[in-house]
Amino acid sequence: TTDLTTGRDDYEVVEVSPSTGARVFGPQKVATVIDGATDYPIAFGRQTYQDSLFRSWAAGNIAADPTNPAHLAVVWSDMRNSVTPAPTDPYKAVTNSDVVVSESTDFGRTWSRPTAVALAGDQFQQWAVYDAAGTLRIGTFDRSTDPANHKYDYSLLTQTGASSFSRSTVSTVQSDPTKGDRWFAATVNQAFPFATTFLGDYSGIAVVPGTTHTVAYWTDMRNDVTFAGRTGHGEDAYFAYGS
């Protein structure tokens, strides 16, 4: 945390020697992340989203372009395009978490102004990688196809320009974490019984080495499960191979 008033963090990058691990340059600020104490609604002491109870966060990762070692991207999600301060109660909040990208072409010495990928609703728990052609690819949980901002797809964002991305759906069935979960469930609002409090931290994206083919791995709630006399959404790991 770099702002003790708001609780917001900065993304910073440090270059280290590949042979010794000693610092060569930095830390260099990439951007301030809109992830402070009043930027998200809160459930059980953790940041969450509209009509939800599951924990989440803004953190992302850094990716390196295999076609140009000076070209880097830092990718995260935050509430810069959401209404802040957010109501503490997630059932009174309307949220718009976006995936945010900043790039460097000089080994991380300077960084572009952060650009949010323009999609409706919440995108979160993203991961980024460059493919063998030098195209930035981002996997993300994505509520943009549900007008209620409840159900999510796992989506692939592919960079098409300096600040533009195309979107494709990786998952084939939407998942609803706002109600009907069998595991880690709680009822805080009667309109949303058995909401999941833990979605899982098991999502990511990678590229098959030397290709532009992506692989994705995420937590999915499409399958129902019955345990101890109650049936609800399960939470399973899914994998997909794409173009």
Side-chain angles (χ1 to χ4, degrees):
T1 299
T2 54
D3 188 327
L4 298 180
T5 301
T6 65
R8 291 173 176 171
D9 297 293
D10 281 353
Y11 246 117
E12 297 182 347
V13 170
V14 175
E15 181 182 353
V16 298
S17 166
S19 58
T20 67
R23 180 169 62 91
V24 174
F25 177 81
Q28 176 66 32
K29 179 178 175 178
V30 177
T32 296
V33 180
I34 310 305
D35 66 340
T38 62
D39 294 327
Y40 289 75
I42 303 297
F44 304 108
R46 300 293 295 268
Q47 295 171 327
T48 191
Y49 305 100
Q50 178 178 338
D51 297 330
S52 302
L53 300 180
F54 62 90
R55 73 180 191 185
S56 194
W57 59 90
N61 71 305
I62 188 169
D65 182 350
T67 70
N68 178 2
H71 187 199
L72 307 169
V74 172
V75 179
W76 67 94
S77 62
D78 69 23
M79 292 300 201
R80 67 189 55 228
N81 291 321
S82 195
V83 176
T84 59
T88 301
D89 183 350
Y91 297 108
K92 295 180 180 179
V94 176
T95 56
N96 179 26
S97 172
D98 285 327
V99 172
V100 185
V101 180
S102 180
E103 295 181 78
S104 173
T105 56
D106 57 4
F107 298 95
R109 267 61 174 177
T110 59
W111 292 87
S112 66
R113 182 173 179 173
T115 299
V117 180
L119 290 172
D122 294 319
Q123 292 77 50
F124 51 91
Q125 296 183 24
Q126 63 298 312
W127 198 259
V129 66
Y130 281 98
D131 65 23
T135 301
L136 184 62
R137 319 292 288 273
I138 305 170
T140 183
F141 288 93
D142 174 22
R143 285 172 152 175
S144 66
T145 60
D146 180 12
N149 202 25
H150 292 163
K151 297 178 181 179
Y152 67 81
D153 301 296
Y154 196 78
S155 295
L156 174 66
L157 309 179
T158 299
Q159 191 168 30
T160 56
S163 59
S164 58
F165 288 80
S166 65
R167 175 199 167 277
S168 58
T169 302
V170 177
S171 53
T172 56
V173 177
Q174 290 184 315
S175 296
D176 188 355
T178 68
K179 58 186 176 182
D181 194 10
R182 182 59 191 88
W183 312 118
F184 314 108
T187 301
V188 173
N189 184 307
Q190 293 301 316
F192 297 91
F194 302 109
T196 186
T197 62
F198 181 68
L199 188 61
D201 306 332
Y202 316 119
S203 63
I205 187 173
V207 168
V208 178
T211 77
T212 60
H213 293 292
T214 56
V215 290
Y217 183 80
W218 72 97
T219 304
D220 201 304
M221 303 175 72
R222 71 181 69 189
N223 295 323
D224 283 348
V225 61
T226 300
F227 181 77
R230 185 170 71 83
T231 299
H233 305 319
E235 296 187 23
D236 299 296
Y238 270 76
F239 170 86
Y241 176 92
S243 59

